[in-house]
Amino acid sequence: DAGVTQSPTHLIKTRGQQVTLRCSPKSGHDTVSWYQQALGQGPQFIFQYYEEEERQRGNFPDRFSGHQFPNYSSELNVNALLLGDSALYLCASSLAQYGYTFGSGTRLTVV
Amino acid sequence: AQTVTQSQPEMSVQEAETVTLSCTYDTSENNYYLFWYKQPPSRQMILVIRQEAYKQQNATENRFSVNFQKAAKSFSLKISDSQLGDTAMYFCAPLFGNEKLTFGTGTRLTIIP
């Protein structure tokens, strides 16, 4: 049973650049959520996609955007990268309230 | 605003002992779900246990059980017969009506051989 797959695993970008992170949800899940986890902190909600639309959004600037495709996979885009964007980015898929399944994350380092 | 508090940043116990991690939250909702997640160094967030707020019976999964006190808005996790593989960060994460998990700051648990 394939779980949530995220790519790439690690990424190093230069300040000011743009980055795209990808997520394939668990089979049967229709909702994808993205979280940012700074070192030593709990994950912070970025946004959630359902039926290819952003259903809700956390307290993140417009530099953070996303997309969900018809096959439920999703992308997270971050423009004009800042040093403070360095974090672990987690994708989670879900089907209603039965629990979220998380991927292993993408470690983004901005230099 | 819905907040989640984990008041124990770090804990350590001897192998085979029992440990309890605390979590409190604030919400005005009546129906919601509560989760405990474990994050080992591999960084994969793993579901440990799930509790429905409308159920009075506390959830149990093998060595893991919860003490859910709805009126007090408390949701603690008890790990019995702790094992070295239980070493990880543990996050309390309620799922309220807005259907997004809200995470606490986590408790770093170390099991000592």
Side-chain angles (χ1 to χ4, degrees):
Chain A
D1 178 23
V4 178
T5 304
Q6 290 188 245
S7 63
T9 306
H10 296 87
L11 202 52
I12 299 176
K13 288 287 189 178
T14 303
R15 190 172 46 183
Q17 285 188 317
Q18 179 265 342
V19 68
T20 297
L21 310 182
R22 295 177 175 82
C23 172
S24 293
K26 182 177 180 178
S27 178
H29 285 187
D30 59 5
T31 302
V32 174
S33 303
W34 286 91
Y35 288 81
Q36 180 195 65
Q37 186 179 18
L39 198 61
Q41 302 294 317
Q44 298 294 312
F45 176 75
I46 302 175
F47 43 54
Q48 183 180 84
Y49 278 85
Y50 173 71
E51 292 189 343
E52 301 181 51
E53 293 197 358
E54 184 182 288
R55 182 157 66 177
Q56 53 182 319
R57 187 181 184 90
N59 188 25
F60 278 81
D62 292 343
R63 296 186 299 108
F64 290 77
S65 63
H67 190 77
Q68 185 179 35
F69 300 93
N71 66 353
Y72 305 120
S73 66
S74 177
E75 289 182 349
L76 163 65
N77 301 292
V78 187
N79 295 322
L81 284 166
L82 303 174
L83 297 179
D85 295 331
S86 294
L88 178 67
Y89 288 84
L90 294 167
C91 171
S93 70
S94 59
L95 181 64
Q97 63 278 80
Y98 292 101
Y100 283 43
T101 301
F102 283 82
S104 296
T106 294
R107 173 72 66 190
L108 173 65
T109 302
V110 182
V111 298
Chain B
Q2 294 158 332
T3 59
V4 182
T5 302
Q6 293 182 247
S7 59
Q8 306 148 312
E10 294 189 25
M11 296 187 73
S12 60
V13 295
Q14 294 289 138
E15 191 176 5
E17 289 186 346
T18 295
V19 60
T20 299
L21 311 182
S22 66
C23 172
T24 59
Y25 55 93
D26 185 28
T27 183
S28 58
E29 298 183 17
N30 191 47
N31 294 318
Y32 47 90
Y33 299 80
L34 299 155
F35 301 89
W36 277 96
Y37 279 90
K38 164 186 176 180
Q39 189 178 39
S42 66
R43 39 182 234 211
Q44 177 94 45
M45 197 73 78
I46 301 166
L47 177 64
V48 175
I49 199 164
R50 172 178 181 266
Q51 172 80 42
E52 295 93 336
Y54 62 84
K55 287 188 177 180
Q56 292 187 342
Q57 185 174 5
N58 289 321
T60 299
E61 288 287 342
N62 301 312
R63 298 182 295 109
F64 299 88
S65 61
V66 301
N67 183 3
F68 174 48
Q69 302 290 328
K70 189 173 184 179
K73 296 178 184 175
S74 170
F75 181 58
S76 61
L77 173 69
K78 185 172 83 171
I79 306 174
S80 303
D81 185 26
S82 57
Q83 300 175 359
L84 297 180
D86 295 334
T87 293
M89 282 289 289
Y90 285 81
F91 293 98
C92 172
L95 179 67
F96 300 122
N98 57 12
E99 295 190 24
K100 69 175 173 79
L101 285 174
T102 301
F103 285 85
T105 51
T107 296
R108 183 176 303 280
L109 176 65
T110 302
I111 307 301
I112 303 167

